[in-house]
Amino acid sequence: MELMEMIAAERRSTADLIGSLGPEQLETPSLCGSWTVREVAAHLVSPFVAPRRWLLPLMLRNGFNLHQVNAALAQRVARESADQLAAQLRDNAERNLRPPIVGYWGQLTDLQVHGQDIRRPLGLSHDLRPDRLRVSLDFLVSRRARGFFVRSGQLDGLRFEATDLDWASGSGPVVRGRAEAVMLAITGRPAVLPELDGDGVGLLRDRME
């Protein structure tokens, strides 16, 4: 129940964000690969609006590559207006979805990471809640976090430390910084690397290239 309350709150916050953006902001490149801000928003809405009949053709067309399927799905849903995307996310804020493997933890993490994928390129500040950040950091260093990394072994042999959350995980060369930046670094966002320090940052950078 507590996790669902966190998820619902993040969905509403993200819906407010999406609904506030203008056309130029929506077409801004996000921190998430080649996706625009609009496509990131569409990705978050996709579980609620994409008909099941879309999935098999997209899987076949993209060789069952999960990242490519998600991208294609986001592009299709992104044809809707920002107001529609925001309304759909808000209307489904309390909808109880539990995907296999990643579960509620993955949903909360997806919302927090993608929310920052949108905000940071637009220069919009947003302080994430420490309790929610801790849940996502614990999830990302667990075996459940499949699909959150472009490359397998990206975190191997590194120690991550959040300086503002009294949280750490792993052993080896250190990657240290604020919890939000550590979360984004773990999920492969090179834009946050200048905000981190420690002798493991260079190794993590090499793995992202």
Side-chain angles (χ1 to χ4, degrees):
M1 180 61 69
E2 184 180 0
L3 271 175
M4 271 308 306
E5 290 173 356
M6 292 180 180
I7 290 167
E10 287 294 334
R11 285 174 180 163
R12 292 190 182 98
S13 174
T14 306
D16 290 344
L17 169 65
I18 295 167
S20 72
L21 301 178
E24 186 174 340
Q25 290 174 306
L26 289 164
E27 301 313 317
T28 299
S30 75
L31 293 189
C32 185
S34 61
W35 289 9
T36 64
V37 164
R38 181 189 293 275
E39 288 167 342
V40 173
H43 165 71
L44 294 174
V45 174
S46 294
F48 309 118
V49 302
R52 290 188 178 182
R53 66 177 182 275
W54 288 3
L55 293 179
L56 183 57
L58 286 175
M59 288 181 180
L60 293 171
R61 199 175 304 149
N62 291 279
F64 291 88
N65 182 298
L66 180 61
H67 292 289
Q68 292 180 14
V69 170
N70 278 334
L73 195 58
Q75 288 171 359
R76 183 171 293 190
V77 176
R79 297 170 187 169
E80 299 192 18
S81 70
D83 287 343
Q84 288 174 315
L85 294 173
Q88 288 158 345
L89 191 56
R90 190 177 295 109
D91 290 346
N92 287 281
E94 296 187 21
R95 186 168 171 182
N96 192 333
L97 294 178
R98 189 172 184 177
I101 302 176
V102 301
Y104 299 129
W105 305 271
Q107 287 185 73
L108 179 62
T109 302
D110 212 39
L111 285 159
Q112 293 194 97
V113 170
H114 286 314
Q116 299 307 87
D117 284 338
I118 292 171
R119 292 184 183 95
R120 276 176 165 260
L122 297 176
L124 302 176
S125 62
H126 179 67
D127 293 327
L128 297 175
R129 288 272 300 269
D131 54 339
R132 298 173 194 169
L133 275 170
R134 185 181 295 277
V135 171
S136 289
L137 288 171
D138 286 339
F139 164 74
L140 287 169
V141 296
S142 74
R143 294 183 179 179
R144 288 180 177 270
R146 299 181 185 180
F148 280 78
F149 312 109
V150 176
R151 298 179 182 177
S152 61
Q154 185 169 299
L155 312 185
D156 291 355
L158 291 172
R159 177 175 175 81
F160 293 90
E161 298 178 356
T163 56
D164 57 340
L165 200 58
D166 189 26
W167 177 93
S169 179
S171 60
V174 173
V175 176
R176 181 189 302 110
R178 295 180 67 252
E180 182 250 0
V182 170
M183 178 183 70
L184 294 177
I186 288 175
T187 52
R189 275 62 179 174
V192 303
L193 291 176
E195 302 172 29
L196 304 171
D197 59 39
D199 53 356
V201 174
L203 179 56
L204 183 60
R205 179 183 292 107
D206 291 343
R207 291 177 179 178
M208 289 183 184
E209 293 177 353

